[in-house]
Amino acid sequence: MRDVAVVGAGMIDFGELFEQSFDDMAERAYLNALDDVDKEISSDDIDAAWFGTLDIAENASSGLGLSHPTGLFEMPVTRVENACATGSTAFRSAVEAVRAGSADVALVLGAEKMRDSAGGLIEGASLEQVWRGRGVTMPAFFGLRATRHMEAYGTTREQVAEVSVKNHENGAKYPHAHYRFTCSVEDVVDSPQVTYPLNLYDCCPVTDGAAATVIVSEDVVDEYTDDPVWVAGSGLATDTFQRGKDESLAGFPATRQAAEQAYEEAGITADDVDVAEVHDCFTITELVTYEDLGFCETGEGGAFVESGTPHLDGEKPVNPSGGLLAKGHPIGATGVAQVNEIYEQLRGEAGAVQVENDPEYGLQHNIGIGRDATGSVSCINVLSKHRP
Amino acid sequence: MYEPPFTRDRDANERLAARECDACGWVSFPEFRDICKRCESVGEWTDTELEERGTVQSYVVQQRLPDEFETPLPLAIMDVPQTSGGDPARVYGLFTETDPEHIDIGMKAEADFRRVFDVDGLPVHSFKFKRPRGDRL
């Protein structure tokens, strides 16, 4: 199998982009990614593309959804849909194809129009299935973990809120973030209740966005950059709480499985991860993800964030970009943008949110909802400054 | 038209009918698959029925929902035992007639047969949970 490197990353400013169409966003993210490649790259160099979108606003249900805005016709385009792990799964799929030799230069493009339609997710989640998902909205899926985590481990409401405070602090410095304000623990716990125990500031916004990444094989990497970031490992797993495992009541076994795969492939442990972009659709999601990824022991996520370890200037910075809570969560673009952030962090090009621990390994993580369960899918990609 | 998914699921929705995996004891509910989600074997199954009472494993209180739902709406992950013993089924439980202040992890809740919502003007029936009458505050 060949080694694979990231050589270009582009995104657009995330936000309420009513003035931009799906194609406007995708085109700009793609051009930004090409511009980002150190040495010259042309669209003719691209052999194949992977396209991540849930197509919530229905612009893109075939590969043409990528070809049309980018002009990349007459080549394989694979559309990937994997709930909130759509972007990271698209990246992983492209990496596997380049590794296997079916392409030398591949584009990963993730895009989502979240603001163009008002219905969608909430109605589907609440009404579609009588027993399995009835009346269960996104904040409920995750809030169930929060209630249980607080009961089982004595995690405090304030510790959960700390995640939001941290990520908004980072997001305020991050140029592409949807929300660029800071908030206090009091602001979070006093914000309007959405689904007890989660309040408004525990929830990520509804955000439009697009992001693109260029990856290449070891055979051609020198043509594009002298400073590649290598893909070290990846993991992907599914789960449902209906299997009756108690650990799924306060955590996400799918993340544990995906992390085990990714760490093994990269030949590292959780201790080697220097910076991470993880799924924080809600504050509690990031807090339990610290535990699921092995950054701290089970039950200690609250103390971990309170200690400052995952802060920008901490020992193990998590979500330097502000995460989904501040940056936003345009589903298909989310994982791709996280990969891009890790790429910039490892190259030392992350600007105002550059971590200071001279990172060698960076991890990107998404978890998704599907059918009846949160944590129904988890995808993790590990990037490295060093060739595996 | 009564939609096919609700027709298929009527036994589970309206009678709390379930099946137990003979190999590992996992309860398949509200589905009737041949492959066990816990031991992953293509096992033999025994028909079983769930009790109309369960235990709250975790809960939330939803404040913002489409108009079809009452709010605030407590919602729990419930362990619902089989009438014949063995492992419980783990399911979502919508609550009704329950003060959000009066729901807690570990509490017992009774299942009540209710109309949950309408599809094209026809009612879909299933169970909702509430505090047992004797424990009502």
Side-chain angles (χ1 to χ4, degrees), chain A residues 122-123 126-149 151-152 192-197 240-249 371-374, chain B residues 5-6 9 12-14 16 26-27 29-31 37-38 40 56-66 68-69 73 75-77 79 90-94 104-105 116-117 124-129:
Chain A
I122 190 170
E123 282 159 17
S126 13
L127 291 170
E128 264 179 13
Q129 295 172 335
V130 178
W131 261 105
R132 285 170 284 178
R134 64 174 180 193
V136 193
T137 57
M138 306 299 159
F141 275 123
F142 289 93
L144 287 162
R145 267 46 172 233
T147 307
R148 180 80 178 197
H149 203 280
E151 167 88 7
Q193 191 170 91
V194 175
T195 292
Y196 170 87
T240 167
F241 89 90
Q242 280 192 322
R243 301 173 83 192
K245 293 183 291 189
D246 281 345
E247 60 265 38
S248 69
L249 291 170
R371 293 181 62 106
D372 57 357
T374 32
Chain B
F6 301 114
D9 292 344
N13 288 331
E14 299 180 5
L16 295 178
W26 180 72
V27 183
F29 179 83
E31 295 178 328
K37 285 180 178 56
R38 183 193 284 164
E40 300 172 13
V56 172
Q57 299 300 315
S58 191
Y59 68 94
V60 292
V61 182
Q62 300 195 90
Q63 304 283 3
R64 287 150 209 278
L65 286 171
E68 288 86 344
F69 295 90
L73 176 62
L75 168 100
I77 292 180
D79 273 359
R90 186 160 285 173
V91 300
Y92 291 111
L94 283 184
D104 260 317
I105 291 175
V116 287
F117 48 76
V124 173
H125 291 91
S126 190
F127 287 84
K128 289 186 176 183
F129 289 88

Side-chain angles (χ1 to χ4, degrees), chain A residues 195-223:
Chain A
T195 292
Y196 170 87
L198 300 177
N199 295 349
L200 188 61
Y201 284 14
D202 291 289
C203 310
C204 73
V206 181
T207 302
D208 295 326
T213 309
V214 180
I215 63 170
V216 303
S217 75
E218 61 185 21
D219 297 340
V220 299
V221 66
D222 294 342
E223 296 173 32

